[in-house]
Amino acid sequence: MGKHVIVGAGQVGTHLAELLTGRGLDVAVVTRSGSGPDGVERIAADVADRERLTRIAKGADALYNCVNPQYHRWAQDWPPMAASFLGAAEDTGAVLVTLSCLYGYGPVDGPMTEDLPLAATGTKGRVRAKMWKDALAAHEAGRARVTELRGSDYYGPRSTDQAYIGESRFVKPLLAGRRVPYFSDPSVPHAWTYLPDVAAALAIAGTDERAWGRPWHVPTGPAVSTVEVGERLCEIAGAPAPRIREVPRAVFHAAGYLSPMLRELRETRYQFDKPYILDSSAFESTFGMAPTPLDDALKTVVSASRMAEGAGN
C-alpha cells in the first residue's frame, strides 16, 4: 500500500485525500495548521521548509502540491514553496504532482493545448511558468520525477469563495433567487473544471508513470457561458430564473483599490473577455477519463448545497 502526501486541504486537497483513502492508500495531509479531513494523517508544517517537507515525504510514492498562496502574494510566496517541493521530490524520489492553472500561457486565441508556449507577461503567469520550467529541467536531468496538471476555473462541491461560479458567490445566491454580480460579460463561453474531476486526474497522475515528464490539462467539458451555467443550475434545482448582472469595468477597477484580491484579478481579466476554451483531449485519450457532464455535475452541486444548508439549520 503506497504512501501519498498531499500538501493543502482546500477545495482540491480534501477531494483528493478522500479519493485516495477510499482506494485503500496511506494518505498524509500537510497544512500549516495541521487541519485536514478525517481518515488521514494530519501534519502541521511550513511547506517552504525543504528539510521538514523531505522528512514528511520520505518513503512516499507521490507528493501532491495542492496549495495556493494568497492571490496577491504569489510573487513572494510561491518561489520558496516551489523550491521546497522540488527539493523534497529530488531528495525522496516521490513523484511531484503539481496542480497548476492556465495563467502561464497568457492570452490565447483559440483552444489551449499543452504544447502552447508559456508566454505570459503578467506576474502570476510568469511565476507559474517558471515553476514548471524548473520542475521539467529537474526531470530531464534525472533528478526528479514530475508532472503538472492544469485546469480552468473550478466549480463543484467545496468550491471556495474565490470561485467565479462557486458555492458562496454563485450557487447559493441563485438558488435563493438573488441577483449575482459578475466581473465580466456573463454571456462569453468559458471553460469550467469540475473539482472531483481535478482530484481524479491528480490521482491518475500520481500513480501512472505515463503522466510523468510533461504537463496535462484536467478533463474539462465544452466551454459554456456563465448565463448558461446559471440557467441549467436553476432549472435542475427548480429555482427562479437566474439574474446575473455584469459589474461595469470602471466599478471593477475601482474595487481593486479596496481589495487586494480584486486588484489582482485585473491581470487575468482577459480570460473572461472572449471565449476561453480548454482542450483536454490528450489526458482523456491517454488515460480514458472523460469530464463529468455539466448537468450531472450541477445535480451534485445542488444536492451538496442543500445538504449543507440543512446541516446548518
Side-chain angles (χ1 to χ4, degrees):
M1 182 171 64
K3 176 182 177 181
H4 291 250
V5 176
I6 303 168
V7 183
Q11 60 182 353
V12 173
T14 297
H15 277 291
L16 178 59
E18 292 175 348
L19 178 63
L20 293 177
T21 54
R23 295 178 179 177
L25 297 174
D26 180 14
V27 177
V29 171
V30 182
T31 63
R32 184 177 292 275
S33 64
S35 61
D38 294 334
V40 304
E41 179 184 4
R42 290 175 283 192
I43 302 173
D46 177 0
V47 69
D49 184 341
R50 172 175 173 169
E51 292 185 2
R52 172 75 167 134
L53 188 58
T54 296
R55 290 196 298 271
I56 294 170
K58 185 178 181 180
D61 291 340
L63 172 63
Y64 300 87
N65 175 358
C66 296
V67 298
N68 194 21
Q70 293 184 63
Y71 209 52
H72 65 287
R73 287 193 53 84
W74 276 27
Q76 296 80 23
D77 293 348
W78 258 131
M81 290 196 297
S84 178
F85 272 110
L86 187 54
E90 293 177 353
D91 294 342
T92 64
V95 59
L96 174 60
V97 183
T98 298
L99 175 62
S100 190
C101 58
L102 306 174
Y103 293 0
Y105 300 130
V108 172
D109 290 320
M112 286 170 282
T113 54
E114 294 93 334
D115 58 357
L116 286 174
L118 297 176
T121 57
T123 299
K124 288 183 288 299
R126 291 198 304 267
V127 166
R128 295 307 311 222
K130 186 176 188 306
M131 286 174 60
W132 172 242
K133 291 175 181 177
D134 290 346
L136 182 59
H139 183 97
E140 292 176 341
R143 301 196 311 270
R145 298 175 298 164
V146 308
T147 185
E148 178 170 284
L149 271 68
R150 301 167 184 165
S152 191
D153 292 271
Y154 300 144
Y155 75 106
R158 297 197 184 96
S159 55
T160 68
D161 58 2
Q162 295 183 16
Y164 276 86
I165 59 171
E167 180 73 12
S168 61
R169 285 176 62 175
F170 189 79
V171 175
K172 286 185 177 179
L174 287 187
L175 296 189
R178 300 198 300 271
R179 188 187 301 272
V180 170
Y182 194 73
F183 294 115
S184 191
D185 182 351
S187 68
V188 174
H190 192 87
W192 306 102
T193 303
Y194 186 48
L195 283 166
D197 289 344
V198 179
L202 287 168
I204 290 172
T207 55
D208 192 325
E209 63 183 26
R210 292 177 296 169
W212 306 341
R214 58 157 290 177
W216 301 88
H217 290 164
V218 177
T220 299
V224 295
S225 73
T226 304
V227 169
E228 183 176 349
V229 174
E231 289 172 346
R232 295 300 305 129
L233 175 78
C234 291
E235 183 176 340
I236 288 168
R243 295 184 297 157
I244 303 171
R245 177 179 59 86
E246 179 180 358
V247 175
R249 189 176 291 265
V251 175
F252 170 76
H253 279 274
Y257 292 105
L258 302 175
S259 167
M261 172 67 181
L262 292 179
R263 184 165 60 249
E264 292 299 317
L265 287 176
R266 296 174 184 172
E267 181 185 322
T268 55
R269 173 71 183 251
Y270 67 86
Q271 298 177 354
F272 296 89
D273 288 338
K274 61 182 180 180
Y276 199 64
I277 303 169
L278 181 63
D279 182 340
S280 56
S281 59
F283 195 97
E284 295 175 41
S285 61
T286 301
F287 302 104
M289 177 186 165
T292 302
L294 178 63
D295 278 10
D296 291 348
L298 292 179
K299 288 175 184 177
T300 301
V301 167
V302 170
S303 177
S305 179
R306 286 175 171 166
M307 287 181 61
E309 183 179 355
N313 292 334

